[in-house]
């Protein structure tokens, strides 16, 4: 529609110029001067300036609308990410809290640290989304639907309509003048010509005033439109830049803490069992051989107790027990040679006693796995 309107305006300008050339030719042939010809240079420049302002403000309005839609879509997507990130944070902290009853649970500590950091990151993301809404989307939306732009565009449209009326009136005057020369003595035609010329002058005068008002209004709106849009774009960049800087600081700190914990674990030497003696081939034989139970070399008798696996162990025979870090074992017997016998996850067998540590209690989530 705008393209058709622009093309029609150009055609009207061409027709007006052709009319002006024809009237000048008549004047050179001995007819009266037509100095009131409509499409003079000043009016043409005014019209062209308004046309450019109209196109510029329309493009600016569409750009503002695109920014608003983009920011709103980003907010919707970001809100979903905040929801998922918050759930991840809660799950991590829940695991860390439930599994923190042991005093050497590295994963629990890492889960708690991660959960707290994730919660803070999601809070920062939520603050960013709120700021984008209030500082970017809302001001631009207000400009798009605001009255200053619509009022200025309305003035330009009124000017264009009046210009079309003036063009039609100029053609009417030309016809009356030609007819008057053909019938110079016709008083009625002369009166109509005077009325047509008077109406044309009024239209030209009003059109000039309205055109100036429209140019002033459109120029002011264009300046405000471009200034506001640039300010909101800068604000959006600054908000995101600040957000990403904070997130980067949090991630650096989180990585440092978790890597430090990992290095501490890797630096801890694995227990060395000197001259380990293979466990007896059967529990019956073992009960006969290892009737004396000791812990850490002491001769004190030991009853059943719970222990947490701190180092993984792969069974090498059917009478040995596979161990995974974090598992809990019911220790039933500890032999002098550094081996222990117990039950884990419904299976019984022998394992190196140095691979477990005694615990006073077991987390509720692990109870079902022990037996």
């Amino acid at each position: 529609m705008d393209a058709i309107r622009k093309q029609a305006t150009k055609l009207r300008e061409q027709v007006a110029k052709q009319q002006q050339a024809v009237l000048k030719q008549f004047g050179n042939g001995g007819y009266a001067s037509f100095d009131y010809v409509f499409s003079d240079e000043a009016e043409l420049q005014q019209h062209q300036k308004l046309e450019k302002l109209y196109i510029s403000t329309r493009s600016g309005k569409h750009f503002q609308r695109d920014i608003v839609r983009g920011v709103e879509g980003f907010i919707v997507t970001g809100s979903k990410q905040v929801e998922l990130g918050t759930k991840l944070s809660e799950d991590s902290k829940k695991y860390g809290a439930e599994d923190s009853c042991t005093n050497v649970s590295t994963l629990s500590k890492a889960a708690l640290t991660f959960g707290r950091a994730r919660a803070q990151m999601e809070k920062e993301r939520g603050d960013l989304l709120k700021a984008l809404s209030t500082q970017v989307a809302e001001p631009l939306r207000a400009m798009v639907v605001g009255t200053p732009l619509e009022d200025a565009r309305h003035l330009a449209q009124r000017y264009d309509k009046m210009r079309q009326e003036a063009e039609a009136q100029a053609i009417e005057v030309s016809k009356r003048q030609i007819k008057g020369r053909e019938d110079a003595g016709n008083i009625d035609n002369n009166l109509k010509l005077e009325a047509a010329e008077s109406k044309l002058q009024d239209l030209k005068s009003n059109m000039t005033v309205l055109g100036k008002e429209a140019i002033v209004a459109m120029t002011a709106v264009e300046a405000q439109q471009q200034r506001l849009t640039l300010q909101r774009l800068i604000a959006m960049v600054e908000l995101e830049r600040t957000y990403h800087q904070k997130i980067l600081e949090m991630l650096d700190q989180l990585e440092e803490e978790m890597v430090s914990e990992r290095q501490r674990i890797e630096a801890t030497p694995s227990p060395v069992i000197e001259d380990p003696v293979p466990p007896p081939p059967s529990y019956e034989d073992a009960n006969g051989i290892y009737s004396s139970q000791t812990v850490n070399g002491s001769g004190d008798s030991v009853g059943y107790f719970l222990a947490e696996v701190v180092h993984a162990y792969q069974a090498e025979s059917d009478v040995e027990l596979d161990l995974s870090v974090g598992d809990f074992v019911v220790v039933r017997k500890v032999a002098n040679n550094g081996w222990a016998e117990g039950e884990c996850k419904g299976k019984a067998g022998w394992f190196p006693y140095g691979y477990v540590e005694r615990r006073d209690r077991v987390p509720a989530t692990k109870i079902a796995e022990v037996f």
Side-chain angles (χ1 to χ4, degrees):
M1 184 61 70
D2 290 328
I4 296 175
R5 180 178 177 275
K6 186 176 181 180
Q7 185 177 4
T9 300
K10 289 183 178 179
L11 290 174
R12 287 198 299 271
E13 291 174 357
Q14 292 175 0
V15 171
K17 288 180 180 179
Q18 291 173 359
Q19 290 173 350
Q20 182 177 4
V22 172
L23 292 174
K24 285 182 178 179
Q25 183 178 359
F26 285 150
N28 294 333
Y31 291 97
S33 175
F34 295 93
D35 55 355
Y36 63 84
V37 174
F38 170 66
S39 292
D40 56 29
E41 189 65 24
E43 191 283 327
L44 185 59
Q45 290 179 356
Q46 179 174 261
H47 170 71
Q48 291 175 344
K49 186 172 184 179
L50 261 178
E51 186 72 18
K52 291 179 180 179
L53 285 169
Y54 192 91
I55 294 173
S56 174
T57 53
R58 181 193 60 207
S59 298
K61 177 181 180 179
H62 290 170
F63 181 47
Q64 289 177 329
R65 184 182 299 158
D66 291 340
I67 294 175
V68 171
R69 289 173 178 172
V71 171
E72 289 176 342
F74 182 80
I75 291 173
V76 171
T77 304
S79 299
K80 185 61 177 178
Q81 291 177 329
V82 170
E83 181 181 344
L84 295 174
T86 302
K87 180 65 168 60
L88 175 60
S89 168
E90 292 173 352
D91 290 342
S92 298
K93 289 190 288 186
K94 180 181 179 182
Y95 172 83
E98 290 181 351
D99 197 50
S100 62
C101 58
T102 62
N103 55 10
V104 196
S105 181
T106 303
L107 182 57
S108 298
K109 295 178 182 178
L112 284 171
T113 302
F114 175 81
R116 296 190 188 102
R118 172 58 63 179
Q120 186 61 33
M121 285 189 283
E122 298 309 329
K123 180 181 180 302
E124 291 294 338
R125 190 196 297 269
D127 292 342
L128 170 65
L129 298 179
K130 292 178 182 177
L132 287 176
S133 176
T134 57
Q135 298 184 33
V136 178
E138 292 180 7
L140 290 178
R141 188 187 300 109
M143 181 74 183
V144 169
V145 300
T147 55
L149 176 61
E150 291 304 315
D151 290 346
R153 288 162 62 89
H154 182 63
L155 283 175
Q157 292 166 355
R158 282 178 53 196
Y159 165 82
D160 189 65
K161 183 177 181 181
M162 186 174 292
R163 189 173 190 272
Q164 294 178 28
E165 294 177 0
E167 288 175 353
Q169 189 63 25
I171 295 173
E172 178 66 20
V173 169
S174 299
K175 291 180 180 178
R176 292 291 178 185
Q177 288 177 338
I178 294 172
K179 190 174 182 180
R181 294 187 186 93
E182 293 175 352
D183 189 6
N186 190 324
I187 298 176
D188 183 59
N189 185 68
N190 291 337
L191 292 175
K192 290 182 179 180
L193 175 60
E194 291 177 1
E197 290 176 340
S198 177
K199 182 178 180 180
L200 176 60
Q201 291 299 327
D202 290 341
L203 285 172
K204 288 180 63 179
S205 178
N206 294 335
M207 185 179 64
T208 300
V209 173
L210 184 59
K212 291 179 180 179
E213 292 179 357
I215 287 176
V216 171
M218 293 288 282
T219 301
V221 167
E222 183 191 46
Q224 181 187 7
Q225 193 179 58
Q226 295 191 6
R227 182 174 60 254
L228 177 65
T229 304
L230 179 59
Q231 289 175 347
R232 295 310 93 200
L233 284 175
I234 293 174
M236 181 164 59
V237 172
E238 290 177 345
L239 287 169
E240 291 197 82
R241 178 174 175 271
T242 302
Y243 163 73
H244 288 297
Q245 284 179 334
K246 291 181 179 179
I247 296 301
L248 181 59
E249 292 174 0
M250 294 178 185
L251 289 174
D252 286 342
Q253 182 179 357
L254 177 60
E255 182 186 29
E256 182 180 351
E257 294 177 2
M258 298 182 77
V259 169
S260 176
E261 183 66 17
R262 184 186 66 185
Q263 292 174 346
R264 186 187 67 79
I265 297 172
E266 293 176 349
T268 302
S270 299
V272 178
I273 302 176
E274 298 180 356
D275 300 326
V277 178
S282 67
Y283 293 122
E284 291 76 10
D285 295 338
N287 291 332
I289 296 173
Y290 303 107
S291 58
S292 176
Q293 303 175 13
T294 62
V295 179
N296 295 333
S298 67
D300 296 334
S301 178
V302 180
Y304 284 25
F305 63 91
L306 290 171
E308 180 182 2
V309 178
V310 293
H311 298 284
Y313 178 72
Q314 183 69 37
E316 297 181 359
S317 67
D318 293 340
V319 297
E320 296 180 14
L321 189 63
D322 286 328
L323 300 178
S324 299
V325 176
D327 288 346
F328 280 81
V329 184
V330 177
V331 180
R332 298 187 295 208
K333 183 175 300 192
V334 179
N336 295 335
N337 61 0
W339 287 83
E341 188 272 331
E343 182 178 350
C344 179
K345 297 182 179 179
K347 294 182 180 180
W350 290 88
F351 53 88
Y353 182 66
Y355 282 57
V356 301
E357 291 184 2
R358 184 166 182 162
R359 297 285 183 262
D360 294 331
R361 55 177 179 168
V362 61
T365 55
K366 295 287 186 176
I367 293 177
E369 299 179 2
V370 176
F371 301 99

Short mmCIF file of all heavy atoms in Angstrom, two decimals, residues 275-308:
data_model
loop_
_atom_site.label_atom_id
_atom_site.label_comp_id
_atom_site.label_asym_id
_atom_site.label_seq_id
_atom_site.Cartn_x
_atom_site.Cartn_y
_atom_site.Cartn_z
N ASP A 275 51.09 -57.04 51.97
CA ASP A 275 51.00 -58.49 51.93
C ASP A 275 49.59 -59.00 52.21
O ASP A 275 49.33 -59.71 53.20
CB ASP A 275 51.96 -59.12 52.96
CG ASP A 275 53.40 -58.72 52.67
OD1 ASP A 275 53.74 -58.57 51.47
OD2 ASP A 275 54.14 -58.54 53.64
N PRO A 276 48.63 -58.56 51.41
CA PRO A 276 47.26 -59.01 51.65
C PRO A 276 47.14 -60.52 51.47
O PRO A 276 47.74 -61.11 50.58
CB PRO A 276 46.45 -58.26 50.59
CG PRO A 276 47.42 -57.99 49.48
CD PRO A 276 48.75 -57.77 50.17
N VAL A 277 46.38 -61.10 52.34
CA VAL A 277 46.15 -62.53 52.25
C VAL A 277 44.79 -62.74 51.63
O VAL A 277 43.81 -62.15 52.07
CB VAL A 277 46.19 -63.17 53.67
CG1 VAL A 277 45.90 -64.68 53.57
CG2 VAL A 277 47.53 -62.91 54.32
N PRO A 278 44.69 -63.56 50.61
CA PRO A 278 43.38 -63.77 49.98
C PRO A 278 42.38 -64.27 50.99
O PRO A 278 42.75 -65.00 51.93
CB PRO A 278 43.67 -64.84 48.92
CG PRO A 278 45.14 -64.73 48.66
CD PRO A 278 45.74 -64.34 49.98
N PRO A 279 41.15 -63.86 50.84
CA PRO A 279 40.13 -64.33 51.77
C PRO A 279 39.94 -65.82 51.65
O PRO A 279 40.26 -66.43 50.63
CB PRO A 279 38.87 -63.57 51.33
CG PRO A 279 39.13 -63.24 49.90
CD PRO A 279 40.60 -63.01 49.79
N PRO A 280 39.47 -66.44 52.70
CA PRO A 280 39.26 -67.89 52.66
C PRO A 280 38.25 -68.23 51.59
O PRO A 280 37.41 -67.44 51.23
CB PRO A 280 38.74 -68.20 54.06
CG PRO A 280 38.21 -66.91 54.57
CD PRO A 280 39.03 -65.84 53.95
N PRO A 281 38.32 -69.44 51.09
CA PRO A 281 37.44 -69.83 49.99
C PRO A 281 35.98 -69.95 50.38
O PRO A 281 35.12 -69.93 49.52
CB PRO A 281 38.00 -71.19 49.54
CG PRO A 281 38.70 -71.71 50.75
CD PRO A 281 39.25 -70.53 51.47
N SER A 282 35.71 -70.10 51.65
CA SER A 282 34.31 -70.23 52.06
C SER A 282 34.12 -69.60 53.42
O SER A 282 35.07 -69.42 54.17
CB SER A 282 33.90 -71.71 52.10
OG SER A 282 34.60 -72.37 53.14
N TYR A 283 32.89 -69.23 53.74
CA TYR A 283 32.59 -68.62 55.03
C TYR A 283 32.76 -69.61 56.18
O TYR A 283 33.12 -69.25 57.29
CB TYR A 283 31.16 -68.07 55.05
CG TYR A 283 31.01 -66.91 54.12
CD1 TYR A 283 30.06 -66.94 53.09
CD2 TYR A 283 31.81 -65.78 54.25
CE1 TYR A 283 29.93 -65.88 52.23
CE2 TYR A 283 31.69 -64.72 53.38
CZ TYR A 283 30.74 -64.77 52.37
OH TYR A 283 30.61 -63.72 51.51
N GLU A 284 32.52 -70.91 55.88
CA GLU A 284 32.68 -71.89 56.93
C GLU A 284 34.14 -71.97 57.37
O GLU A 284 34.47 -71.95 58.55
CB GLU A 284 32.20 -73.27 56.46
CG GLU A 284 30.69 -73.37 56.25
CD GLU A 284 30.25 -72.68 54.98
OE1 GLU A 284 31.13 -72.30 54.17
OE2 GLU A 284 29.04 -72.50 54.78
N ASP A 285 35.04 -72.02 56.35
CA ASP A 285 36.47 -72.05 56.67
C ASP A 285 36.91 -70.76 57.34
O ASP A 285 37.71 -70.76 58.27
CB ASP A 285 37.29 -72.26 55.39
CG ASP A 285 37.03 -73.61 54.78
OD1 ASP A 285 36.57 -74.50 55.52
OD2 ASP A 285 37.29 -73.77 53.57
N ALA A 286 36.36 -69.68 56.85
CA ALA A 286 36.74 -68.37 57.41
C ALA A 286 36.34 -68.29 58.87
O ALA A 286 37.07 -67.73 59.70
CB ALA A 286 36.08 -67.25 56.63
N ASN A 287 35.18 -68.78 59.20
CA ASN A 287 34.74 -68.73 60.59
C ASN A 287 35.65 -69.51 61.51
O ASN A 287 35.82 -69.19 62.68
CB ASN A 287 33.30 -69.25 60.72
CG ASN A 287 32.30 -68.31 60.08
OD1 ASN A 287 32.58 -67.11 60.02
ND2 ASN A 287 31.19 -68.84 59.60
N GLY A 288 36.26 -70.50 60.91
CA GLY A 288 37.18 -71.28 61.73
C GLY A 288 38.54 -70.63 61.83
O GLY A 288 39.19 -70.67 62.86
N ILE A 289 38.97 -70.02 60.71
CA ILE A 289 40.33 -69.46 60.68
C ILE A 289 40.38 -68.12 61.38
O ILE A 289 41.28 -67.82 62.15
CB ILE A 289 40.79 -69.33 59.21
CG1 ILE A 289 40.89 -70.70 58.58
CG2 ILE A 289 42.12 -68.60 59.12
CD1 ILE A 289 41.18 -70.67 57.09
N TYR A 290 39.39 -67.23 61.05
CA TYR A 290 39.43 -65.86 61.57
C TYR A 290 38.41 -65.69 62.68
O TYR A 290 37.43 -64.98 62.54
CB TYR A 290 39.14 -64.87 60.44
CG TYR A 290 40.11 -65.01 59.28
CD1 TYR A 290 39.68 -65.57 58.09
CD2 TYR A 290 41.42 -64.60 59.42
CE1 TYR A 290 40.56 -65.71 57.04
CE2 TYR A 290 42.31 -64.74 58.37
CZ TYR A 290 41.88 -65.29 57.17
OH TYR A 290 42.74 -65.42 56.13
N SER A 291 38.61 -66.37 63.72
CA SER A 291 37.69 -66.24 64.85
C SER A 291 38.00 -65.03 65.69
O SER A 291 37.16 -64.53 66.40
CB SER A 291 37.75 -67.51 65.72
OG SER A 291 39.09 -67.71 66.17
N SER A 292 39.23 -64.55 65.60
CA SER A 292 39.62 -63.35 66.36
C SER A 292 39.42 -62.13 65.47
O SER A 292 40.04 -62.06 64.42
CB SER A 292 41.08 -63.45 66.81
OG SER A 292 41.48 -62.27 67.45
N GLN A 293 38.61 -61.20 65.88
CA GLN A 293 38.30 -60.02 65.09
C GLN A 293 38.99 -58.80 65.67
O GLN A 293 38.92 -58.55 66.85
CB GLN A 293 36.78 -59.76 65.06
CG GLN A 293 35.99 -60.95 64.53
CD GLN A 293 34.50 -60.71 64.64
OE1 GLN A 293 34.08 -59.59 64.88
NE2 GLN A 293 33.72 -61.76 64.48
N THR A 294 39.68 -58.08 64.83
CA THR A 294 40.38 -56.87 65.27
C THR A 294 40.08 -55.73 64.33
O THR A 294 39.73 -55.93 63.17
CB THR A 294 41.89 -57.10 65.30
OG1 THR A 294 42.33 -57.39 63.98
CG2 THR A 294 42.28 -58.23 66.24
N VAL A 295 40.25 -54.54 64.85
CA VAL A 295 40.07 -53.33 64.05
C VAL A 295 41.32 -52.51 64.18
O VAL A 295 41.71 -52.15 65.30
CB VAL A 295 38.84 -52.51 64.52
CG1 VAL A 295 38.73 -51.26 63.67
CG2 VAL A 295 37.60 -53.37 64.41
N ASN A 296 41.96 -52.17 63.00
CA ASN A 296 43.18 -51.36 62.99
C ASN A 296 44.26 -51.96 63.89
O ASN A 296 44.95 -51.27 64.64
CB ASN A 296 42.89 -49.92 63.43
CG ASN A 296 41.98 -49.22 62.44
OD1 ASN A 296 41.98 -49.56 61.26
ND2 ASN A 296 41.21 -48.27 62.92
N GLY A 297 44.34 -53.26 63.88
CA GLY A 297 45.42 -53.92 64.60
C GLY A 297 45.13 -54.19 66.06
O GLY A 297 45.91 -54.82 66.76
N SER A 298 44.06 -53.73 66.56
CA SER A 298 43.75 -53.94 67.98
C SER A 298 43.10 -55.30 68.15
O SER A 298 42.53 -55.85 67.23
CB SER A 298 42.82 -52.85 68.51
OG SER A 298 41.56 -52.97 67.91
N GLY A 299 43.14 -55.78 69.34
CA GLY A 299 42.58 -57.10 69.58
C GLY A 299 41.18 -57.03 70.14
O GLY A 299 40.67 -58.03 70.60
N ASP A 300 40.58 -55.87 70.16
CA ASP A 300 39.24 -55.73 70.72
C ASP A 300 38.23 -56.43 69.84
O ASP A 300 38.29 -56.36 68.61
CB ASP A 300 38.87 -54.25 70.86
CG ASP A 300 39.79 -53.54 71.83
OD1 ASP A 300 40.33 -54.25 72.73
OD2 ASP A 300 39.96 -52.33 71.69
N SER A 301 37.28 -57.08 70.44
CA SER A 301 36.22 -57.74 69.69
C SER A 301 35.30 -56.69 69.10
O SER A 301 34.99 -55.68 69.74
CB SER A 301 35.43 -58.67 70.61
OG SER A 301 34.38 -59.28 69.89
N VAL A 302 34.82 -56.92 67.88
CA VAL A 302 33.99 -55.95 67.16
C VAL A 302 32.67 -56.60 66.78
O VAL A 302 32.67 -57.72 66.23
CB VAL A 302 34.70 -55.44 65.89
CG1 VAL A 302 33.81 -54.45 65.17
CG2 VAL A 302 36.03 -54.83 66.25
N GLY A 303 31.57 -55.91 67.04
CA GLY A 303 30.28 -56.40 66.60
C GLY A 303 29.93 -55.86 65.23
O GLY A 303 30.74 -55.23 64.57
N TYR A 304 28.72 -56.11 64.80
CA TYR A 304 28.29 -55.60 63.49
C TYR A 304 28.31 -54.07 63.53
O TYR A 304 27.90 -53.44 64.51
CB TYR A 304 26.88 -56.08 63.18
CG TYR A 304 26.79 -57.52 62.75
CD1 TYR A 304 27.75 -58.46 63.14
CD2 TYR A 304 25.73 -57.97 61.97
CE1 TYR A 304 27.67 -59.78 62.76
CE2 TYR A 304 25.64 -59.30 61.58
CZ TYR A 304 26.60 -60.20 61.98
OH TYR A 304 26.50 -61.49 61.59
N PHE A 305 28.71 -53.45 62.43
CA PHE A 305 28.66 -51.98 62.33
C PHE A 305 28.56 -51.59 60.85
O PHE A 305 28.78 -52.40 59.95
CB PHE A 305 29.87 -51.33 62.99
CG PHE A 305 31.18 -51.68 62.34
CD1 PHE A 305 31.71 -50.90 61.31
CD2 PHE A 305 31.90 -52.79 62.76
CE1 PHE A 305 32.91 -51.22 60.72
CE2 PHE A 305 33.11 -53.12 62.17
CZ PHE A 305 33.63 -52.34 61.14
N LEU A 306 28.21 -50.32 60.62
CA LEU A 306 28.06 -49.78 59.27
C LEU A 306 29.35 -49.09 58.84
O LEU A 306 30.03 -48.45 59.64
CB LEU A 306 26.92 -48.77 59.20
CG LEU A 306 25.50 -49.35 59.34
CD1 LEU A 306 24.49 -48.23 59.48
CD2 LEU A 306 25.17 -50.23 58.15
N ALA A 307 29.68 -49.23 57.56
CA ALA A 307 30.86 -48.56 57.01
C ALA A 307 30.53 -48.04 55.61
O ALA A 307 29.73 -48.64 54.89
CB ALA A 307 32.05 -49.52 56.96
N GLU A 308 31.16 -46.93 55.27
CA GLU A 308 30.96 -46.33 53.94
C GLU A 308 32.19 -46.62 53.07
O GLU A 308 33.33 -46.51 53.52
CB GLU A 308 30.74 -44.82 54.03
CG GLU A 308 30.52 -44.17 52.66
CD GLU A 308 30.35 -42.67 52.75
OE1 GLU A 308 30.43 -42.12 53.87
OE2 GLU A 308 30.16 -42.04 51.69
#
